[in-house]
Amino acid sequence: MRQAGIWMSRAERKRIQQPRHRREHVGELVQIDGSEHRWFEDRAAVCTLLVFVDDATSRLMELRFVASESTFAYFEALKTYLRRHGKPVAFYSDKHSIFRVSNENAVSGNGMTQFGRALSELNVEILCANTSQAKGRVERAHHTLQDRLVKELRLAGISTIEAANAFLPSFVANYNGRFAKLPARDKDLHRLLDPRQDLDEVLCWREQRQVSHQLVVNYSRMKLTLKPEGIAVRLRGKMVDIYDFPDGRLEVRWKGKSLPYSAFDKLQRVSHAAIVENKRLGEILAWIKQQQDRQPRLSTIPKGPRRSSQASGLLKNRALRMAEAAKSKSKASRRGRRRSDMVVSAAPAHAPSEAAE
């Protein structure tokens, strides 16, 4: 390759990122991203700060501490943003799976994520940056916040996500007063919310499921049995909508009408390997360790939406209830057991370990 003149050194392969002018209006482009960091230093575990930065002024429009980046976390942050500022023209994000479908050749689905579907209903555009340098305003805000905000939280003696979120409004006001720029034009492009739209119904996880002949709807490894009364009797073989809300509620609807149901949990252990994104690896490992400490058989990664930022509800609480039941059962079985009853033997040197298998 050197002889043919094809080879390029690492320095020559670096792309030149030329600066881009700011947008002229407030609310024309809002950059969003999450920063995973030890915000509470050694006083608490690692968490994520969701940051909304206006491109025209570098103002912090919204900050929110969450356990990790998830669709439910962005739904809650977006709801606060919309009620405080209104609807911007567009959001600018990275290529996280929350904002963009990675597999462009996917057979099922409409090529739109749950977050993208919500923004489409709100008439707000979502743009994805090809590089981190392209959304440099929010990236630089991360570096500043990881220095200044960490010190402010330490001086205030804050070590929980709830207390930190209550502290953020005063910090944002002080930060914007010192570092925000003036826009090139005074017009604010934020639009008022449509009073006919219910934000709770727009900012939720939606999926469609088919009703079986037994009036059963399968969702997230649960059987939702519709009550055989009223309109539900005529829904055999038809599609219904599942509304999974950030506050923990779960509704089954047909043409906007909520249907009564009873839930049967069929949670089983998943034996195949789960695909985990890099940005959610820390939270998944912490969750796995917590479940392994309680009961090894329950150390599974649930499918469907991530529920770290969802309030307590049917789906979030069931795994905890099963873990507590398994823990009490294992304690009862070990009671009265003597050390002499245990048989300890070493595996042959040539035998493969379970981890290797």
Side-chain angles (χ1 to χ4, degrees), residues 134-272:
K135 51 185 184 66
R137 313 226 190 277
V138 69
E139 295 291 346
R140 283 190 291 273
H142 289 334
H143 290 291
T144 305
L145 293 172
Q146 288 175 5
D147 179 34
R148 293 177 178 268
L149 183 54
V150 168
K151 295 174 181 176
E152 292 285 351
L153 294 174
R154 183 199 311 151
L155 293 174
I158 295 175
S159 57
T160 63
I161 291 179
E162 293 76 13
N165 284 329
F167 171 78
L168 285 177
S170 61
F171 174 83
V172 169
N174 182 41
Y175 181 97
N176 291 336
R178 299 179 60 184
F179 302 111
K181 308 293 183 182
L182 292 176
R185 299 183 182 274
D186 295 334
K187 185 178 180 181
D188 190 345
L189 296 186
H190 283 102
R191 296 157 294 165
L192 296 177
L193 292 173
D194 189 345
R196 296 170 297 179
Q197 279 186 323
D198 188 354
L199 282 182
D200 291 334
E201 294 190 358
V202 174
L203 302 177
C204 66
W205 190 284
R206 293 187 199 169
E207 291 190 17
Q208 284 193 331
R209 292 291 188 271
Q210 187 176 22
V211 181
S212 69
H213 290 282
Q214 293 78 26
L215 298 182
V216 173
V217 179
N218 292 293
Y219 175 72
S220 188
R221 286 180 288 173
M222 295 189 66
K223 288 182 177 293
L224 307 178
T225 305
L226 303 180
K227 293 186 177 180
E229 57 186 25
I231 197 172
V233 181
R234 302 193 299 270
L235 296 181
R236 294 183 177 92
K238 295 185 178 180
M239 303 298 292
V240 294
D241 297 318
I242 307 294
Y243 283 68
D244 200 347
F245 295 94
D247 59 5
R249 291 180 294 125
L250 183 68
E251 293 187 10
V252 180
R253 296 185 183 183
W254 186 73
K255 292 186 177 181
K257 183 177 180 180
S258 182
L259 304 174
Y261 68 89
S262 60
F264 172 74
D265 191 357
K266 57 175 184 177
L267 184 65
Q268 298 177 353
R269 180 174 180 178
V270 179
S271 58
H272 59 80

